[in-house]
Structures are given as C-alpha cells and as structure tokens.
Amino acid sequence: MRADVLRLPMAHPGDLSALDVAIASGRVEAASIVAIIGKTEGNGGVNDFTRGYFTQSLMALLASHTGETAATLAGRIPCVLSGGTEGVLSPHYLVFSRTGDHTSVSTGPALAIGTAFSSPMDPADIGRRAHVESVAAAVRAAMADAGIDDPAEVRLVQVKAPCVTSARAEAARHAGRTVLTADPGRSMAFARAAGTLGVGLALGELSAPSEAAMLSDFTVTCDRASISSGVEVEANEVIVLGNSPTWSGPLRMAHRPMADALDIAAVVAALDDLGLDARPQLTPSDKARIRGVLVKCEPDRRGMIRAQRHTMLDDTDINAQRHIRGAVGGLVAGVIGDTRIFVSGGAEHQGPDGGGLIAIIAEIPGSLS
Amino acid sequence: MRADVLRLPMAHPGDLSALDVAIASGRVEAASIVAIIGKTEGNGGVNDFTRGYFTQSLMALLASHTGETAATLAGRIPCVLSGGTEGVLSPHYLVFSRTGDHTSVSTGPALAIGTAFSSPMDPADIGRRAHVESVAAAVRAAMADAGIDDPAEVRLVQVKAPCVTSARAEAARHAGRTVLTADPGRSMAFARAAGTLGVGLALGELSAPSEAAMLSDFTVTCDRASISSGVEVEANEVIVLGNSPTWSGPLRMAHRPMADALDIAAVVAALDDLGLDARPQLTPSDKARIRGVLVKCEPDRRGMIRAQRHTMLDDTDINAQRHIRGAVGGLVAGVIGDTRIFVSGGAEHQGPDGGGLIAIIAEIPGSLS
Amino acid sequence: MRADVLRLPMAHPGDLSALDVAIASGRVEAASIVAIIGKTEGNGGVNDFTRGYFTQSLMALLASHTGETAATLAGRIPCVLSGGTEGVLSPHYLVFSRTGDHTSVSTGPALAIGTAFSSPMDPADIGRRAHVESVAAAVRAAMADAGIDDPAEVRLVQVKAPCVTSARAEAARHAGRTVLTADPGRSMAFARAAGTLGVGLALGELSAPSEAAMLSDFTVTCDRASISSGVEVEANEVIVLGNSPTWSGPLRMAHRPMADALDIAAVVAALDDLGLDARPQLTPSDKARIRGVLVKCEPDRRGMIRAQRHTMLDDTDINAQRHIRGAVGGLVAGVIGDTRIFVSGGAEHQGPDGGGLIAIIAEIPGSLS
Amino acid sequence: MRADVLRLPMAHPGDLSALDVAIASGRVEAASIVAIIGKTEGNGGVNDFTRGYFTQSLMALLASHTGETAATLAGRIPCVLSGGTEGVLSPHYLVFSRTGDHTSVSTGPALAIGTAFSSPMDPADIGRRAHVESVAAAVRAAMADAGIDDPAEVRLVQVKAPCVTSARAEAARHAGRTVLTADPGRSMAFARAAGTLGVGLALGELSAPSEAAMLSDFTVTCDRASISSGVEVEANEVIVLGNSPTWSGPLRMAHRPMADALDIAAVVAALDDLGLDARPQLTPSDKARIRGVLVKCEPDRRGMIRAQRHTMLDDTDINAQRHIRGAVGGLVAGVIGDTRIFVSGGAEHQGPDGGGLIAIIAEIPGSLS
C-alpha cells in the first residue's frame, strides 16, 4: 500500500475547486480518498459553521465523482476540521489517499494510514469509561485497517468524538440515563479527554486509566493523540497515521510533544527526524518536501508561561483557543516558512499540560515518488 | 552617561507596584527615569483605555516620588504604550533611566538614550509635510539629548504622534484650515507614515520624501522607525535609542528589518549581533541577558504571506492588528524563550512592506554592571 | 395573483428542514417560490459564510424538488440574507411564493411581489451612475413582474447588489477601466448608495440623482429602499413588495421611515396602518397575524443619539453594525413581542440619516385566507 | 433628609470633568456624595479595566475636594460600575448625594438612600450561607442608614460583592479552608446569587434560603435585588434606595420585575407608577423628569425567548452578556427616548428567570425642587 497526501488551498469554506481540479487532472482518484484533515476560517467555537459548510461541499463533490450519496461518504471518510485561521494561518486541507500502487520505492518505513468509525455513542457514555473504550477499540480497528501491528509505528491518532447537546441530553433522560454534563463546552472537553485516554490505552501507553483522571490529573498524557470534538458527529471517527515497513511511497511522519507554547525545540526536533534542518528556518527546497503539519496546543491553565503572566484565559473579547492557535501557529509557521499549519486548540491530556504536540509529514529524499 | 533598563511586570493596567518597589529599594531613582515603553492588555484600538489608565497611574506614582505634578511629568517623560497582549504576550513595561554613574565599564559602544517633545501639532498639519519635518526636528533634538552625532549610532527611534480627532478637526475648521482626513483610524495611519518619514529624514536615510509617498509608495521605508499614534498626545514624543562610544554600562542594542511575518532569520540575526545564539532558542543564561525586545509588524496588505492566503484583513470579529501581534509575538517569544515582547502593529513604511522590524536590548558579556 | 409568505426557523445556517417539511406537506409548492429573505447567525461581515452555506443548502433543496439545477435556481430566485442575529434576534427566513389561486378574498389591496435580475455589473460601474440606472431598470422590471404600475403601491424594494473584490478590480484594470474603490467595505457602501438612488429614481422619488451625493449628501434618501451588497452576486437582484388592488390574499404591507435608533413611534405607526395596536405590545392574537418584519438601521455617523454619545463607531472589539442590529432588534422585538425580526445594517440613504426604515407584512382581519 | 441624583456624561472612563464642574458650580457638594452607580464603555468582563480606571479617577477627584485620601473614600462611598455600553447605550454615571436641606416639599414619599459596607469576606465564604447572611446584615445596616424601617419602602438594593480570585483561593487554602469554586466567572455568579438571597432575606421576601437553591432553583427570586460582583472589592458594598415619608425632595423611584427580554410592559408600568406615560414613548418634557434608569437582564439559559431560538449563549465571538445588554438597552432606551440607561447582565435570581428587573428614578410633578 501507498499513502499520499495533497495539501490544497481554499478560497472560502465552500470552495473545493482545488480538489475538483486535482481529481479531474488525475493527481488523485476520488475513490482512493480515505480521510480529510483541514483548517477552515471560522471562529473554532460552537457557532463555527465553516466546518459544516466545508463538509457539505466536500461530500457533494465526492458524491459527484464516486456516485455514492453524500451520507454514505460521510459515514466512510473521516473529515476532521478545526476552525480558526488566526494570525498568519492559511485555510487549507490535507487529502489522504491510499492506493495499491507498488512502483514507488521507500528508503525505509513509509507513511501508513488507516481509519475506523465506532458505533454511535450513547450520549450518557460521553466522557466516561465506555467512551474511552469505544475510542480504544476504534483505534485498534484503524491500526488493523492500516496493517499496523506494532503501536510503536503509530505517529499520530486523529480522533473526532461526539459531545453532548441539549437534544442528546434530553434523549438520554428519556432513556433513563444521565449525561456527565449538559454544558456543550464542558462536554467537548470531556470527550477530548476520553478520546486521549482511549488512544493511550490502544497504544499501550496508558493502562486502564480511571475516569477520575479526566480533566483532573494532567500528568496523564498521550503524546500521539490529537482529539477534536463536535456536535456534528455521533460516532468516534479515527484516523491512524504511522510509519510502516509494509507501506511504500516517499512520505514519512515524525512527531514530538511540545512542553509549552514556546517549545520551538520540539518543532525543530521533529523536522530533524525527517532530515530537515530548520535552524532557524527550512530552505525553500526543504520546505517543498513538507506535506502537512499538525499541531495541538492550549493556553496554560495556570495563567503563566515560563513564569510570566499571560492574559488569554481572562479575555472576554477573544476566545482563549483563538489566542493560542494564533501564537503557536505563528511560531511553527516561522520555523517552517509556510503558513499552511493545522493548529487545533483544546489539548487536554494531549501532550504535556500547557503544551501539546506537533506531527509533520514530509517527503524523504532519495525516495522515488 | 549610562543608560539602564528595567523590565517590569504588571498585574493589571493600573498596577505600578513593581516600579514602586524598584524605586523604594533603590534599583532605580525616580528622578533618573526618562522614558517608558510598555505593553498593556487592552485591545490596542481607539477604545483601548488601558493606555490612559496605565499612564495616569504611572504619573501619579512618579509625582509622589519626585514632587513634580503629573502634568509636568507627562510633558517630560515619553510614555509609549501599545495595547494588546494577544496570544502568549505578557503585559510589561520597560523603564529607561540614565545616570552620570561612571563606575561601570563597557566593552564597546553602550546603550544611549535621548528624548524630545515637539511643539503641539496643528491638527491640519497631521500626516502632511509639516508633520514629517516636526518629527525630524524632534529626532534631531533627541539625538542631541543623547549626545549622538552620527546617525549610524542610532538603533531605534520610537515616536508617539498625535492624530486627528473630531474635536481637533472642528478646531481646524474654525481656524480656516482643513484636516487631511477626519477618520481617526486613517489619520493614525497617516501620522505613523509621517513619523516614519520624519525619522528617515533625520537619520539621513530618506531625502526630502514627498507627501504623495505616504500610505502609497511602500518601497519608501525606514528600518529604524517605530511609530505609534494616538489621541492622547498633542505633540510628537520621541525616544532615540542607540549605541554610543561616549556612553558606558553593560547594555547594547541591535536591530533588523523583518521581511515578513515569518522572518525568523531577522530575529536570530539581531540576537547574533549581541552575541546570543538562538538556534533554535536562547539558553536560560542568555535569556537572562535580554532587557527588552521591540517589534513592529503588520498584516500583509496584499492578503498573502509567501504565496498563501491569510484571513486577517477580512475578519469582522478580530481586528487585523490583533491577529498579527499574536502571530509575530508567538514567533519572537518562541525564539527568545520569553513572552515579554513589545509587539506593535501599524508598521506602515517601518521596515519592508508586509513585514516590520525588531530591536533588542541586551547585556553584553564581559561588561561590568 | 396571490402572494404568500412563510416565516420559518432554522436550527443552523445549513438547516432547511422546515422548508422541506412545508413543501412535503403542501403548505407551499416548490415551483411557486419566487424569493427568500432571511437572517442567519453569522457576523454579517465580509467573512460571514453563513449566507453562502444557507444559499447552497436552499438551492440544493429546491433543486431536488423542481428538477432545475442549483445554478439555474440561483439565477432566478433572489435570496437576500443578512448575517447577524445579535441580542434577542432569532435566525429565520421568509419564503415568498405566488400562485394564481383566486379563491381568497381581500378586503382591499393585497400583498404583491415581483422580482428581477439586472445584467451582471461591470465592476468599474459599481457605485457609479451606471449602477444607479441598472438598479432603476431592474426595479421597473420587477414592478412590471408584479403588475404594479403606480409607484405609490410599492412598500419596499429589497435589492442585493454586487460589490468590488480584488479579483474584479484586477479584471477591470485589465479591461482598461478603473474601479471606484478597491476597498471591499467601502465598495459595499457605495453599492448600497447606488442601489438606494436607483430605487428612488424608479419610484419617482428622486430625479436624476448625482454621483456626488452618494455617501456624501445624506439628505438624499429613499424610505422604501432596503439594500444589501455582497461579493456573492454579480448582478443586481431586486424584490419589489407592495400592496396592489389586482392582487388577492390576506396579506398587506406597511412601512415607515425611522428617524433614529430610538424611533419606536415609527414601529407603532406601521403597525397602526395594519390595524395592529402595540401600546406597548401586540396581543398574542395580533402577534399571530404578523408574517414578516424588515428593518434597516445604522449607527449614527455623528457619534450621538439624541444628544448623548454612543460608542459603536469606536469599538475595536464589536463591529458597529453588530451593535446597532442588536439594539434596534431589541426594540422592535419588544414592540412586536417576537424575536423573528429581519434587521439589516448599512442604511446609507435608506431612510433618515442615523435612522432607517421598517416594513411589516401582516394578515388583515376579515380576509379569507 | 433629602436625596439628589445627578446624571452625568463621561467622554472616556477617566473623564470626571462633569462632576468636577458640578462641584465647582455648587450643583453638588463633594462631602454630600454617598454613592455612585455608572456605566463605562468596557467589555463588562473579567478584563474590563474601565471600571478601575473610572474609580481611580473618581476617588482622586473627590479626594482633591474633601481632603480625605482616595483609600478612605473608597471605603466609604460605594461605586458600582457596570462595563459595557453595547448598542445605543451611552456612558454615564449617577451621583447620589444627601443633605439635611428641608426647604423642599414632597407630594408624598420621597427618594431615600442609605449605604453600608460589610466586613471583608473570607474567600471560603463567598457564595455560601455566610455570604448570604453578610449581605443581609449589610442591607439592614443600609436601611437603618436610610432611616427605613419598613422593607416595603425599599425599591432597589444595589450590591457589589467580592468574588474568588486565584490569589484568594490560595489564601483560603493556606488557612485550611476551601473555596466554593476557583473559576472566577463561576464565583461571580455564585456571589450574585448569594447577594440576591441576602437582599431577599433582609427584605423579608425569602426566609432562610438554602445554599442548594443558588444557581439551581431559579424560582427563588428577589425583584428588588441588583447585584454585581467583581475582584475589585473585598467587602459587600450595599446601596439601599427606596421611597420614604420621612425624606423630602422631588424624587421618587418605581420598579418592576421583567418577565423576559421583551417585557416592554414592565418598563411602561414602572413609568406609569411615576405618572409618566410612554405609549409608545415619553414626551420630551416627561423625559426631562427622568434622573436614572437601572436594569438587570440576562440571556435566557434555556436558549429560547417566547418559543424562538436565540443565539447568545453559543456565540464564541461576542459574550452573551454583551448581547443581552445591547438588546434590552435598545428596548428601554426606545421607550424612554434616552440612551442613558444603566443595564447590567448577570441577573441570576434577580427577577424572573430569563428576565430581570427595571427601576426608575424621576422627579414628581408638583414637587418643589
């Protein structure tokens, strides 16, 4: 198997023309597309409709090419979007495809990808132990889909997990059950926590994590889990990305935890792993080898970064997640020399407390693509 | 002469307790303070009152120590504040003082500082040729105050220039004159342009710049001008900072133009000039030598950064200057390893179009402080 | 002919389920729908994508019912959306349909509706005399479509006019022409001004208005023009609404200019015209007769409302149009007792300076519907 | 005793010039000032520093007139500020004074005012039963200060209550106690709840309310309690306003609960009580009799207003309290015909759930002032 990644621009959240062109020109076959990860220019909050707009447009486009219905496609292809292109960030999306083409030669383990959907979650289970286990099972399924046996080969697990809404809380009540919290924002945070613990469990990093640790004990972390949560999904959608000796192609992925929002060393180290020197910035030719950069971060909950006060958490005008995405996005874009960085907030348990993680996909020199 | 810089935190915009402690403990003498440059946690716009609150609190504190009135102090000590601590940025202020103390030894040219106030501006002159010349004259006066003859010794000229307000436009009308524009935001931009050209003229970089170039020909630039504009001043307030062989003390300043918002190389190069290696980040001991970091930047008016679209200029929710301060602040803070960065937007003509400039004050190893 | 209006809720900007149900249940025939006016929950600015999302979803739904393509429908059915449901405002849309059904009896002139599209505008003409005349011609065409000869029968003309974008400015330049302004916000304001003058010209209220009056002489007004502008259209889309003796059905429309943002008397007077007493608020049964409320308003450009300062124009955190929509929406909703109010900002020349206009559609008692 | 109220404008949050003029001209004697209630143009959130700026400026001004220190004045004169002049609202403040002057004649009970400060709160008590009792005791003290025995004479009790901060939570921990919540926003809500229950207890409306009711049982309400909470106070500051037969002067106060954000009838009824007819709006001469309008409101927590969805609670761009203040402010300003309305959010338990209350001070015709 061989995985490919296209990084495409959009003029607005309903603009899929670049993918249309790529399909028309044969750069990618519609039927080979297995996942999308993208950054749209909304506010990233509950009332960010750029994600729904993009997804509707994407599924309509793919439907016109594959003949499937949009609903079928939405149940088969994870589309994980993060709203908010604060600061220098550029709206873009990564199109992951895989083919059986074997003409390419890798110089080592190559990028592997697998996906899975869990069963729809009972709203009363969201953010609880059952949620952790549902994610863990889906991660194992996605690893199997990718043909990855060894958890050490996994570099990043991207999960999109459902959260509680008023309607779902009501449905749970009717069924005689109680949701963990009816506050959507809080529920999303618990869903991200449960997702992270599920990934950690599947990867063997965490053993039987307790419910009590969620949103409470931030020493419990998984550096390879990137979780988003939203009302738009009912099941856990999982994308496993790794480097596998059984896959071919020129791409490889590296990742690092980020200790805090200033951890430029983590960015540089992940690039080092891919043979890319960024001291202080990639050369144009090295930059051209980058296919995707994925970052998780969050405003330090203690209100300080390296002993200095920050003001993100007390700002009534700008949401704290928008602040941190803009800042960490500016840093990573500066090191890479490119503003097409996927930066997502809400990094509870995903990497060190107050920090997060970075994962980079790049073409490896010497590979025949 | 010897210049010193204290970098102090504030808990809120009315909190001058750190300076009060510094004066009480003898770290700085109130009478030796000649200028303040600071970053407060407002929105940085027309309705940012954190600047006025800080200034009122500062002048009241100094008045209690020097016996002068707050009004006298405000007419003698430039207090240049930039609102907006987006992202990781930490509210803080730099206290510049100078003394005749000669016990310190420099290993070369040392930080020099001079200040000057122009006469109050006629509102009808703001943003015009007369404004350029008023600033140029004040810069020359501040250079003389610093004992700097050679413009090459200047590293940064910080100017705070008045802008037109409705009341000032009305006053001009009564006097039979017309203001360039009655739009406060536009007037502030013209004032920054005039200030930059005035600095360029005084430093010999620009010769007789035409009015027509302002906000129009962005190839006309000055890399050592950092201009802010606001309703709170009536005269041009000027702070000249440089390195002079006739000054002593352990501090030195370096600066670089920034080509764009991703120009991490400029940050690293300015640090190199001070003997500080940041590949990728300063060591803790090197970081401790930093006394102040001053940055100007702005969202590229062409809507692109290195060929990728950005969304700052079309955002109705977050002001474009807030976006860019957060992003560039995140980058510079990451390189330095410290969030106490003065980042100001509105960089018209101040460095390359779409970029800006960076200036850093640091202690030089081997100096006896 | 008979005009009908459905007022439908949406759960989010892509939710057309209420219309789907209305079509499925026979409350409205898809083929009879001639226009949509709606309020979506975006920010109402350049980066408000809720309008595009709603329109895409609407046209897809209608296409599934009529068999036409979405593009054909978009070229035939004006869909005028205003983003921003600030304060108490509720996202909703009005579906205008017309049928040849003659079984209903009116007690007098009944609601009439006509629509028209101009040719696509040359970007260089936007905001100029040619734009005024294009709108005037389209208004006359829409009046003819509605069978209205007498301009006195017109109550409101809703126009959606194109504005200049960077791409369009570039195209004009290649064609050897120059756009009036390349600033999108400014271009939208000019387009609204030109639209208003075009409506005034067609209705015989204004005679040969000069280009110079636009955005300059605010004594030139038209109380029956409601104009929005956006990048999403290339032609002027016009909806004429009036009361005509040749139309039947139970609906009638009233309108009033609003002198300022506090002009509650105008709201009450428009309701009086429809036999509805709102002193201080409609009774529940009277409220049930309301089918649509359309308001235009704007923050007074002089910074004062009835001699007291307002702060809308200087707010860097919240756009001034969002402020005024929330305030006037709160007032009108309070008088009506219902939060489904279409409130649109940007009322240049549309009613008195600093004010705007209100138009109300209601069922007339005694009519057989 | 006689109470007077001046309603004064400010050009910015540090502008007390109108009060300075009023004192200089003898309209009010500095020593007779007992309380201030005002609306400043900040965002009304945790990072709204306009309140601190105004208070600092006010106390400095009064200190220059009375010879007391600013700290002494701050411990004697409650200064209750609400940030946020959304929509049409105009920044202004009410200066309450009282004198022994007996030359005026009332036509019935006249405006009475009393104030009190509780002891500083132990942070661990905030939002608990002890907080309720502390407020109740202070209300009784303020009633005694006003010479009011009968709770029925009270029209409004304005309270400013302290909340937990990180530092206070830490202090409590060191003292071996636990705070109710360390989340500042949540703590402020609990403080408002405790304040309301304290007022209700002192006025005899509520008997021994349980802690469990706070922020949980919203049928427990007090229509005469208006509570704000902030980090800037350590004690509960209380202003009792009522109509008393033992007071003289031309002023009287009326109040009404507001059932929801559209309850225009409540506004009109409160005006009716004062002999003012607002159907639909006050006449200019009646408007001139108004001295102060105080409103509490909040976005309905159930997400609906009169069965229609609102979007305030899900908006990541604009805080929900800013939304509701703008809407209800627009409504009340429209009825009064004046934009100087004090509108404060966070109305938990203060009036009906989803609504709030209104209180109006006006001059009574026939009074000799």
Side-chain angles (χ1 to χ4, degrees), chain D:
Chain D
M1 295 296 287
R2 169 187 166 137
D4 273 302
V5 180
L6 282 179
R7 184 164 49 169
L8 300 175
M10 65 182 99
H12 59 77
D15 173 32
L16 270 294
S17 60
L19 180 55
D20 199 23
V21 166
I23 293 172
S25 69
R27 281 177 69 200
V28 66
E29 202 184 338
S32 72
I33 295 171
V34 295
I36 303 282
I37 299 178
K39 198 102 201 76
T40 55
E41 58 198 284
N43 64 25
V46 175
N47 67 326
D48 181 349
F49 303 104
T50 62
R51 297 177 301 222
Y53 187 17
F54 180 93
T55 303
Q56 175 174 292
S57 305
L58 169 71
M59 298 305 173
L61 175 72
L62 292 181
S64 75
H65 285 287
T66 69
E68 293 166 281
T69 66
T72 301
L73 286 161
R76 177 169 76 74
I77 301 178
C79 177
V80 179
L81 301 172
S82 165
T85 54
E86 293 81 9
V88 299
L89 297 173
S90 191
H92 72 287
Y93 54 106
L94 307 181
V95 179
F96 292 87
S97 61
R98 64 184 193 192
T99 54
D101 174 65
H102 285 287
T103 60
S104 63
V105 175
S106 305
T107 59
L111 182 68
I113 181 169
T115 63
F117 283 65
S118 76
S119 314
M121 294 288 299
D122 182 326
D125 286 336
I126 289 173
R128 300 195 201 263
R129 184 61 191 254
H131 196 172
V132 174
E133 278 156 15
S134 169
V135 170
V139 173
R140 287 186 203 105
M143 286 173 63
D145 182 51
I148 293 181
D149 290 325
D150 181 359
E153 292 176 3
V154 173
R155 285 291 157 275
L156 190 76
V157 182
Q158 183 77 47
V159 179
K160 191 171 177 183
C163 65
V164 172
T165 61
S166 311
R168 289 175 186 171
E170 193 64 20
R173 211 164 14 243
H174 280 145
R177 302 199 60 192
T178 310
V179 296
L180 187 57
T181 169
D183 173 339
R186 189 87 182 140
S187 168
M188 287 166 77
F190 270 113
R192 288 191 297 262
T196 308
L197 269 57
V199 173
L201 195 59
L203 298 186
E205 287 190 15
L206 304 171
S207 55
S210 78
E211 278 193 7
M214 288 194 259
L215 301 190
S216 168
D217 179 358
F218 291 103
T219 63
V220 175
T221 65
C222 177
D223 296 341
R224 292 178 286 170
S226 172
I227 321 291
S228 66
S229 177
V231 301
E232 64 270 37
V233 294
E234 297 192 352
N236 299 296
E237 307 187 6
V238 173
I239 306 169
V240 163
L241 295 166
N243 297 326
S244 164
T246 67
W247 286 61
S248 62
L251 302 181
R252 196 172 297 160
M253 190 172 208
H255 92 284
R256 278 288 189 292
M258 291 183 72
D260 62 19
L262 305 185
D263 192 1
I264 194 172
V267 184
V268 170
L271 290 165
D272 280 344
D273 289 352
L274 299 165
L276 298 162
D277 182 37
R279 289 179 182 85
Q281 193 176 68
L282 295 186
T283 62
S285 62
D286 276 358
K287 196 181 88 167
R289 288 172 42 204
I290 300 286
R291 291 294 183 81
V293 182
L294 305 164
V295 177
K296 267 293 207 181
C297 58
E298 67 175 354
D300 196 295
R301 79 194 69 240
R302 292 152 297 195
M304 309 284 276
I305 299 173
R306 301 198 185 178
Q308 303 299 330
R309 183 169 72 98
H310 70 76
T311 62
M312 295 182 268
L313 296 172
D314 284 343
D315 193 341
T316 300
D317 300 315
I318 299 181
N319 181 271
Q321 304 294 346
R322 305 204 72 178
H323 271 297
I324 194 68
R325 283 193 300 258
V328 175
L331 175 63
V332 176
V335 174
I336 307 281
D338 194 304
T339 59
R340 291 170 296 177
I341 313 291
F342 175 92
V343 183
S344 169
E348 302 89 348
H349 303 287
Q350 301 150 68
D353 193 19
L357 57 87
I358 183 165
I360 303 173
I361 300 168
E363 196 169 333
I364 298 303
S367 301
L368 276 179
S369 66

Side-chain angles (χ1 to χ4, degrees), chain C residues 89-271:
Chain C
L89 297 173
S90 189
H92 72 288
Y93 54 108
L94 307 181
V95 179
F96 293 88
S97 61
R98 65 184 192 191
T99 55
D101 174 65
H102 285 288
T103 59
S104 63
V105 174
S106 304
T107 59
L111 181 68
I113 181 169
T115 63
F117 283 66
S118 76
S119 315
M121 293 290 299
D122 182 326
D125 285 337
I126 289 173
R128 300 196 202 262
R129 184 60 192 253
H131 196 172
V132 174
E133 278 157 12
S134 170
V135 170
V139 173
R140 287 186 202 104
M143 286 172 64
D145 183 51
I148 293 181
D149 291 326
D150 182 359
E153 292 176 1
V154 173
R155 285 291 157 275
L156 190 76
V157 182
Q158 183 77 46
V159 178
K160 190 171 176 185
C163 65
V164 172
T165 61
S166 310
R168 290 174 187 172
E170 193 63 21
R173 212 163 17 242
H174 281 145
R177 302 199 59 192
T178 311
V179 297
L180 187 57
T181 169
D183 173 339
R186 189 89 181 140
S187 169
M188 287 165 78
F190 271 112
R192 289 191 297 261
T196 309
L197 270 57
V199 174
L201 195 59
L203 299 186
E205 286 190 15
L206 303 171
S207 56
S210 78
E211 278 192 7
M214 287 193 260
L215 300 190
S216 167
D217 179 359
F218 290 103
T219 64
V220 175
T221 66
C222 177
D223 295 342
R224 292 178 286 171
S226 171
I227 321 291
S228 66
S229 177
V231 301
E232 64 270 36
V233 294
E234 297 192 351
N236 300 296
E237 307 188 6
V238 173
I239 306 169
V240 162
L241 295 165
N243 298 325
S244 163
T246 67
W247 286 62
S248 61
L251 301 182
R252 196 172 296 159
M253 190 173 208
H255 92 283
R256 278 289 189 292
M258 291 182 72
D260 61 19
L262 306 184
D263 193 1
I264 193 173
V267 184
V268 171
L271 290 165

Side-chain angles (χ1 to χ4, degrees), chain B residues 280-299:
Chain B
Q281 192 176 68
L282 295 186
T283 62
S285 61
D286 276 356
K287 195 181 86 165
R289 288 171 42 205
I290 300 286
R291 292 294 183 84
V293 182
L294 305 163
V295 177
K296 268 294 210 182
C297 57
E298 68 176 354

Side-chain angles (χ1 to χ4, degrees), chain A residues 10 41 90 262 281 309, chain B residues 10 41 87 90 262 281 309:
Chain A
M10 63 183 99
E41 58 197 286
S90 191
L262 306 185
Q281 193 176 68
R309 184 170 71 99
Chain B
M10 64 182 100
E41 59 198 285
S90 190
L262 306 185
Q281 192 176 68
R309 183 169 72 98

Side-chain angles (χ1 to χ4, degrees), chain A residues 9-13 41 43 85-91 261-265 268 278-281 287 305-306 308-312 315 317-318 322-324 326-340, chain B residues 9-13 41 43 85-91 261-265 268 278-281 287 305-306 308-312 315 317-318 322-324 326-340:
Chain A
M10 63 183 99
H12 59 79
E41 58 197 286
N43 62 27
T85 52
E86 292 81 9
V88 299
L89 297 172
S90 191
L262 306 185
D263 192 2
I264 195 172
V268 171
R279 289 179 182 83
Q281 193 176 68
K287 195 180 87 166
I305 299 173
R306 301 199 185 177
Q308 302 299 329
R309 184 170 71 99
H310 70 77
T311 63
M312 295 182 267
D315 193 341
D317 300 315
I318 299 180
R322 305 204 73 178
H323 272 297
I324 194 67
V328 175
L331 174 63
V332 177
V335 174
I336 306 281
D338 195 303
T339 60
R340 291 170 296 176
Chain B
M10 64 182 100
H12 60 77
E41 59 198 285
N43 63 27
T85 52
E86 293 81 10
V88 298
L89 298 172
S90 190
L262 306 185
D263 192 2
I264 194 172
V268 171
R279 290 177 182 85
Q281 192 176 68
K287 195 181 86 165
I305 299 172
R306 302 199 184 176
Q308 303 299 329
R309 183 169 72 98
H310 70 77
T311 63
M312 295 183 267
D315 192 341
D317 299 316
I318 299 181
R322 304 204 74 178
H323 272 297
I324 195 67
V328 176
L331 175 62
V332 177
V335 175
I336 305 282
D338 194 304
T339 60
R340 292 170 294 175

